[in-house]
Amino acid sequence: MIIEKIEKDNKILASVTGNEKIIIDVQSALDMVMSVKYKVNTNKIVIDKKIIAEDFFILSTGLAGDILQKFINYDIKAAIYGDY
């Protein structure tokens, strides 16, 4: 997992990328978020699609809803980018 700090207009973002699937379930998503909050001290995260399990994008699995609910509970603002 590669965490990059981005500062622009007095705002701090964290960009999370990597070559392997990091977010495969709710707990791994929370672990990633807590790592970002510890290293960059921000709640705004930009996530590369490559590090997210494909089940996240199949809405019938419920994985996206569970993870996004946790993000809401922990006040995490996230954006996912990549080749769809």
Side-chain angles (χ1 to χ4, degrees):
M1 174 169 57
I2 302 166
I3 301 172
E4 181 182 344
K5 182 177 183 178
I6 303 168
E7 292 183 63
K8 187 169 184 171
D9 298 331
N10 295 327
K11 294 182 183 178
I12 300 173
L13 301 170
S15 173
V16 182
T17 61
N19 293 326
E20 60 187 44
K21 303 291 184 198
I22 296 169
I23 299 175
I24 55 173
D25 57 13
V26 175
Q27 187 59 49
S28 62
L30 287 176
D31 291 343
M32 184 269 306
V33 165
M34 292 304 134
S35 294
V36 168
K37 287 186 96 169
Y38 176 75
K39 292 181 181 180
V40 182
N41 195 25
T42 186
N43 65 338
K44 297 172 181 72
I45 305 172
V46 180
I47 304 169
D48 189 349
K49 180 184 179 282
K50 293 186 287 187
I51 68 167
I52 302 174
E54 292 301 319
D55 284 348
F56 180 88
F57 301 101
I58 302 170
L59 298 181
S60 62
T61 64
L63 182 59
D66 293 342
I67 290 174
L68 296 176
Q69 184 63 52
K70 292 291 184 184
F71 283 6
I72 290 168
N73 291 346
Y74 288 98
D75 190 35
I76 302 300
K77 293 166 179 51
I80 302 170
Y81 72 93
D83 186 20
Y84 290 95

